[in-house]
Amino acid sequence: MLMKGFTIWFTGLSGSGKTTLAREVEEILLERGLKVEVLDADIVRTNLSKGLGFSKEDRDINIRRIGFVCNLLTRNDVVAIAAAISPYKSVRDENRKLIKNYVEVFCKCSIDALTQRDVKGLYAKALKGEIKNFTGVDDPYEEPDNAEVVVDTGKETEEQSVAKIIKTLEILNYIPRVEDANEYSGDEEDEIKARLKDLGYI
């Protein structure tokens, strides 16, 4: 199977598991012999986007820059994995149009669950108004309408979420199927196929 580049774009609120899942997926893809590069938003901000703030304009610029790099990597048959809150639909859609092979993963998690797992207490402070412009509290997060994968990180285990992502990549023929690694039942695979069919992929 000739491997082609693609981008996996993780979006979701702070603490929803984007980076953790991105690293888990990276490890599996590397084990399967693919070339992979992870662009984590926190790391990108200290290098590619140093100096940008957290206004809507600066956030949009940051996401466009990550999308630009993902597109370059994808065109050169590398798997690009982006993990960024990316709160605005319009900029995510720009990247979707720019990048030929694009898989969006929405890490869904409630504010209650995020507050409980937040060891730094940032959500609690934001909810009390002690931190301003906090995404999902007093700054918007626009949930995706058409993400290829939705993982409910407030309810699923990491293993379940990763398996759902990998299975979707297999069904889309971005990566070869490895039946031994299949942790899904026939019904669960049918659900993934139905979602991809609704989105017009299969």
Side-chain angles (χ1 to χ4, degrees):
M1 183 178 184
L2 181 62
M3 301 311 302
K4 56 188 176 185
F6 59 92
T7 289
I8 308 171
W9 192 284
F10 286 85
T11 178
L13 293 171
S14 177
S16 62
K18 300 180 296 300
T19 298
T20 299
L21 295 178
R23 291 298 181 187
E24 293 280 341
V25 170
E26 175 194 26
E27 188 174 328
I28 292 171
L29 297 184
L30 288 172
E31 288 172 356
R32 295 193 187 186
L34 280 78
K35 295 179 288 185
V36 185
E37 192 66 51
V38 174
L39 290 96
D40 183 84
D42 292 337
I43 296 172
V44 168
R45 272 192 174 272
T46 62
N47 297 284
L48 189 65
S49 294
K50 190 173 183 179
L52 289 180
F54 291 90
S55 67
K56 182 179 186 306
E57 182 181 7
D58 281 358
R59 286 173 188 250
D60 287 351
I61 291 170
N62 185 43
I63 297 306
R64 287 190 184 103
R65 287 178 182 175
I66 298 173
F68 176 78
V69 175
C70 286
N71 184 46
L72 293 180
L73 291 168
T74 297
R75 280 173 24 193
N76 286 282
D77 293 331
V78 175
V79 179
I81 301 178
I85 295 174
S86 39
Y88 302 108
K89 284 182 187 177
S90 59
V91 182
R92 291 198 305 264
D93 287 345
E94 283 181 30
N95 285 336
R96 178 183 286 278
K97 289 176 184 173
L98 175 69
I99 301 166
K100 184 178 177 185
N101 302 321
Y102 182 92
V103 178
E104 192 169 72
V105 179
F106 173 33
C107 296
K108 184 176 182 179
C109 193
S110 69
I111 294 291
D112 285 345
L114 291 169
T115 302
Q116 289 176 9
R117 72 168 65 156
D118 180 12
V119 294
K120 295 180 180 176
L122 298 177
Y123 276 96
K125 290 179 180 177
L127 289 167
K128 291 177 184 174
E130 297 172 7
I131 299 175
K132 300 294 182 186
N133 303 320
F134 199 88
T135 302
V137 178
D138 62 343
D139 213 49
Y141 176 80
E142 298 169 354
E143 294 188 2
D145 295 323
N146 55 352
E148 281 76 6
V149 187
V150 178
V151 290
D152 190 338
T153 60
K155 298 177 181 175
E156 299 172 0
T157 65
E158 285 179 21
E159 291 75 17
Q160 288 172 322
S161 296
V162 168
K164 190 184 289 184
I165 296 163
I166 294 297
K167 178 53 65 180
T168 300
L169 296 175
E170 289 179 345
I171 291 172
L172 290 171
N173 289 319
Y174 286 139
I175 60 175
R177 284 177 178 252
V178 178
E179 296 301 334
D180 291 342
N182 187 355
E183 298 179 6
Y184 265 77
S185 67
D187 288 344
E188 290 167 330
E189 183 168 337
D190 287 345
E191 285 182 22
I192 293 173
K193 285 181 177 177
R195 178 171 186 79
L196 294 175
K197 188 174 181 181
D198 288 343
L199 293 170
Y201 285 103
I202 57 177

